[in-house]
Amino acid sequence: MVTVQMNPEVQRVLGPEGMAQARREAQRADCATCTKRITGRANVVVTGAGGMQVRVYFTHPGCMASSVTELREPSDSPADDMRMVSLPPLPGGHGRAVLVAQLESPQYFADTPAAELTDVLAPYLLRQGFEPVGDTATEPPLLERWVAVPAQVPGIETGGGLLTVLDDQAEVFFTGPVFTPARWRRTALESGQCTLYYGPTELDPASRDFPTQYRLLEDAAQDGRLLAARVPCMDRARLRAAAANE
Ligand SMILES: [Zn+2]
């Protein structure tokens, strides 16, 4: 159980709803300063209180005091701070290879101070066609104009590779190294689709304990923390061929 520290100014900006939500989100937060997982106590840092977007970060007590501040330049793309987990198809699930995206540290905004906090990427993903999911057995809607492109890179350990996910405007939603085991790639490329979940989870990109990872994903779905969509998945050769045919 992580207990949170909020200075009076932070409490005023967040209001009762935001404070309650910050307490919940702190249970699975990484430190915004040193990026390591927070256990025990978390300080709440709020940025952007003067504008439309209030963002909430968590820090270790030793890393940064609870404050309303400008922690860093607001990124144009919160996806810069994203990490991605790959999972083989869920047992008893919809049979697709799975990707789970989450922000390194939760970011929320509220239209006005003390309003309900909204995940910073959720409005964009809902506009794109992602839907909230309550379980991981149901197939989410297919977004035909998104694409996930896994690429194996010589020299990286077996199973390692780069993954790029583009949205319907060919904007990069995610790009970076992701462990994609042979079973994941085979399942995703043969069917030409994978499911992409987004939301705060406690999944660990380095873990190979898939039963635990599945359980954490299911917990997040049942808590209403996840948005999901099916996304076409193809390797670079097929992407080039598809682009040539357009
Ligand atoms: Zn820290």
Side-chain angles (χ1 to χ4, degrees):
M1 181 81 186
V2 175
T3 55
V4 301
Q5 312 268 83
M6 293 181 256
N7 83 352
E9 200 185 354
V10 167
Q11 295 180 22
R12 183 185 57 74
V13 170
L14 291 183
E17 283 281 311
M19 285 163 61
Q21 191 169 356
R23 284 193 193 95
R24 286 196 298 276
E25 298 300 340
Q27 304 307 316
R28 48 179 170 273
D30 293 343
C31 175
T33 304
C34 73
T35 74
K36 295 195 180 77
R37 175 53 60 99
I38 296 176
T39 56
R41 285 199 309 153
N43 284 349
V44 179
V45 177
V46 172
T47 68
M52 291 287 283
Q53 293 216 334
V54 179
R55 290 191 177 179
V56 178
Y57 301 86
F58 301 95
T59 61
H60 292 110
C63 285
M64 188 168 176
S66 176
S67 53
V68 175
T69 182
E70 285 309 315
L71 188 63
R72 53 188 169 187
E73 284 295 299
S75 170
D76 285 346
S77 168
D80 290 349
D81 306 316
M82 191 173 289
R83 68 179 167 213
M84 189 73 81
V85 176
S86 70
L87 295 175
L90 281 70
H94 46 57
R96 304 282 179 198
V98 170
L99 293 172
V100 186
Q102 59 189 322
L103 295 177
E104 290 284 356
S105 63
Q107 295 181 38
Y108 304 93
F109 70 87
D111 288 342
T112 56
E116 187 181 353
L117 301 180
T118 307
D119 179 280
V120 72
L121 283 181
Y124 153 74
L125 291 173
L126 291 168
R127 273 200 310 278
Q128 288 276 325
F130 278 69
E131 289 184 356
V133 289
D135 66 75
T136 55
T138 313
E139 276 210 311
L142 174 65
L143 305 184
E144 287 181 23
R145 296 188 57 80
W146 278 55
V147 65
V149 185
Q152 281 181 280
V153 180
I156 293 188
E157 62 165 312
T158 314
L162 288 173
L163 177 76
T164 301
V165 181
L166 303 176
D167 73 7
D168 71 353
Q169 302 293 315
E171 297 280 345
V172 174
F173 173 72
F174 171 84
T175 186
V178 174
F179 181 86
T180 50
R183 204 172 130 217
W184 187 96
R185 271 197 308 280
R186 207 165 46 239
T187 309
L189 294 174
E190 280 176 5
S191 76
Q193 292 178 9
C194 58
T195 53
L196 174 57
Y197 295 92
Y198 169 78
T201 67
E202 291 171 62
L203 269 64
D204 176 359
S207 170
R208 296 294 152 259
D209 177 1
F210 295 128
T212 299
Q213 300 276 80
Y214 292 141
R215 191 173 45 73
L216 292 170
L217 186 67
E218 183 65 30
D219 287 351
Q222 289 182 4
D223 281 1
R225 282 184 260 138
L226 291 183
L227 300 176
R230 259 180 307 147
V231 170
C233 184
M234 59 186 79
D235 59 19
R236 283 174 173 174
R238 257 194 64 208
L239 183 67
R240 270 196 293 271
N245 287 337
E246 275 211 347

